[in-house]
Amino acid sequence: AAPVNAGVKDTDLEAYKVRPSWASVPNADYYEIEFNGLLYSTIKETSLLFEDLTAETNYSFNIRAVNSDGTSDWTTFSTRTKSNPLAFAIHGAVAKTSAPNQRGAEADKLFDFDESTTWHTKYGAKAVPFDLVVDLKTYNQLEKFHYLPRTDAGNGTLLKGTIAISENGDDWTSVGSFDWKRTAEDKIFKFDKAPKARFIKLAVTEAVGNYGSGRELYVFKVPGTESYIPGDINNDRLLDVNDLTSYTNYTGLRQGDSDFEGYISNGDINKNGLIDAFDISTLTTQ
């Protein structure tokens, strides 16, 4: 008999992997699945994991039962992978803390997209109050960030503090505060009116054990928007001689000059209203 109840349960469906399952067939020695032009054979269980797939993509499967008497008819089913929940999470961010961190558990662990690693301030040393300053390395329209505490919500779990943003890392604008419960659930902070920024500062005033810790800090830009690379004055997503030529042509241009607004203002990296040596040196060193 052909396998029945074949398909992918929602709990077995992700963006990049699926686990089809089916009901056990009496007297079957094993099962076979046709997928993407390949035959997967001698499957003894009633499920099989497929990984390295593409998000939001339709996939079809054929499955049959096999025993010493032969093979059953094929059972066909299809599914669609989910969207990537981190599609608009910003990669490449780094961070500094005003409190020392434990060696091997520095703040870069918050931005490695690996939820098995952990950031933790120095053991045995009171950290609170302290600042966690995030450099996204690009300018973005910010939608939200997700803070993932330790799975046991133990020492260092952030509880209270304020949030500020900046384009240059010097001038800060307050955008709100957080007051989170001591749980292992993801904490979400939503930015109002999608502000544009490169830097985010969490001024932590209360945390478990007076430490700081966390598994990840996912910062999301507004879906569909582009990240702007500092120094990419012509906005072609490259840092090259073409940008240097533009800087050379517009060195000394100030805010208020007729040609400053528009793409030239993108080159004002330190946001001081002037295309100057700081801007040019930032590009050339990269």
Side-chain angles (χ1 to χ4, degrees):
V4 297
N5 298 328
V8 182
K9 299 175 182 177
D10 188 67
T11 53
D12 293 329
L13 181 62
E14 299 183 23
Y16 301 110
K17 59 184 178 181
V18 300
R19 183 185 291 275
S21 59
W22 54 93
S24 177
V25 176
N27 302 317
D29 293 331
Y30 58 86
Y31 305 94
E32 293 183 332
I33 294 180
E34 278 188 346
F35 174 65
N36 268 5
L38 296 176
L39 179 66
Y40 298 79
S41 189
T42 61
I43 304 166
K44 300 291 187 178
E45 304 297 327
T46 56
S47 67
L48 184 66
L49 178 65
F50 292 87
E51 298 182 286
D52 300 322
L53 305 181
T54 303
E56 298 185 88
T57 302
N58 295 320
Y59 290 101
S60 295
F61 300 83
N62 294 316
I63 180 173
R64 66 185 179 185
V66 183
N67 63 17
S68 58
D69 293 327
T71 61
S72 72
D73 292 334
W74 289 105
T75 295
T76 299
F77 61 94
S78 60
T79 190
R80 182 175 176 83
T81 49
K82 293 183 177 180
S83 61
N84 176 12
L86 300 177
F88 295 102
I90 299 166
H91 289 255
V94 297
K96 294 182 179 180
T97 57
S98 58
N101 294 306
Q102 184 66 21
R103 179 175 295 181
E106 290 83 1
D108 62 335
K109 297 295 189 294
L110 284 172
F111 307 98
D112 60 2
F113 283 73
D114 182 350
E115 295 178 14
S116 68
T117 62
T118 303
W119 155 64
H120 202 293
T121 56
K122 188 175 181 179
Y123 299 157
K126 179 183 177 182
V128 175
F130 69 92
D131 291 342
L132 171 67
V133 178
V134 182
D135 182 356
L136 300 173
K137 294 295 184 178
T138 54
Y139 298 105
N140 298 272
Q141 284 184 262
L142 302 177
E143 181 191 29
K144 60 182 177 178
F145 70 73
H146 287 205
Y147 162 65
L148 278 59
R150 293 171 49 176
T151 55
D152 62 357
N155 277 340
T157 298
L158 305 184
L159 301 176
K160 293 183 181 181
T162 58
I163 310 292
I165 59 173
S166 173
E167 291 194 9
N168 58 15
D170 294 319
D171 303 308
W172 295 92
T173 300
S174 176
V175 292
S177 61
F178 60 91
D179 186 351
W180 295 324
K181 295 181 180 179
R182 181 180 175 174
T183 67
E185 296 176 349
D186 294 5
K187 315 301 185 205
I188 301 175
F189 178 87
K190 294 184 178 181
F191 294 95
D192 186 37
K193 299 180 180 179
K196 181 182 177 182
R198 171 179 168 178
F199 298 89
I200 303 171
K201 178 165 63 177
L202 284 73
V204 180
T205 58
E206 186 175 329
V208 177
N210 287 320
Y211 294 104
S213 70
R215 290 180 293 136
E216 286 295 311
L217 187 67
Y218 296 124
V219 181
F220 294 82
K221 62 183 178 181
V222 174
T225 60
E226 297 291 338
S227 299
Y228 172 72
I229 305 171
D232 181 18
I233 196 169
N234 60 1
N235 204 22
D236 64 355
R237 303 182 190 178
L238 299 172
L239 297 179
D240 56 21
V241 68
N242 294 320
D243 297 303
L244 183 58
T245 297
S246 292
Y247 272 116
T248 301
N249 291 339
Y250 290 101
T251 300
L253 200 69
R254 297 177 177 273
Q255 189 172 16
D257 292 342
S258 59
D259 291 335
F260 186 84
E261 298 304 328
Y263 87 95
I264 298 302
S265 62
N266 287 337
D268 182 14
I269 297 174
N270 59 351
K271 302 303 177 184
N272 66 345
L274 173 67
I275 302 300
D276 57 15
F278 180 93
D279 305 319
I280 298 171
S281 66
T282 299
L283 168 67
T284 54
T285 54
Q286 294 184 78

